[in-house]
Amino acid sequence: QTLNDDNGKREFHEMDEDNDGIVSKEDLEHFMDPRNKSHINNQITKLFSKVDDEPDDEHLSLDEIENHADIFIDLRLLDIEKALHNES
């Protein structure tokens, strides 16, 4: 994915919270925060793009999940859980 496609541009603008055309460290930290709804929605969109959702109904059956177990294992849920519990 590059910034030349619509999804890349949309993601950049979601990261650039103050719309100054630059993604600052603070912008990126907020965007990557697992509690940020935009971050969660982006992760779900990426997940569905990697899983063969057939029929394309935005619902995953047990077979669809089992067929792509590697993708679900790679979600790093433990890292997200750790981030949520290690608030400073």
Side-chain angles (χ1 to χ4, degrees), residues 14-18 20 22-33 36:
E14 288 175 5
M15 287 186 274
D16 181 19
E17 288 190 341
D18 56 7
D20 64 356
I22 299 169
V23 177
S24 67
K25 181 180 176 185
E26 291 79 18
D27 289 337
L28 193 55
E29 286 174 347
H30 182 261
F31 180 76
M32 297 303 292
D33 185 338
N36 180 343

Side-chain angles (χ1 to χ4, degrees), residues 35-71:
R35 295 167 292 180
N36 180 343
K37 188 174 181 174
S38 291
H39 175 74
I40 293 168
N41 289 338
N42 283 330
Q43 294 304 316
I44 292 169
T45 300
K46 287 177 186 176
L47 172 69
F48 269 88
S49 73
K50 294 179 180 183
V51 175
D52 298 325
D53 179 24
E54 188 58 43
D56 187 10
D57 58 2
E58 296 189 3
H59 294 85
L60 298 177
S61 68
L62 179 57
D63 286 340
E64 290 169 333
I65 292 171
E66 287 177 339
N67 289 339
H68 300 283
D70 57 321
I71 294 170

Side-chain angles (χ1 to χ4, degrees), residues 1-16 21-23 28 31 42 46:
Q1 179 176 350
T2 67
L3 288 181
N4 294 330
D5 66 22
D6 290 336
N7 289 334
K9 289 178 184 177
R10 180 183 47 77
E11 194 166 296
F12 176 84
H13 290 295
E14 288 175 5
M15 287 186 274
D16 181 19
I22 299 169
V23 177
L28 193 55
F31 180 76
N42 283 330
K46 287 177 186 176

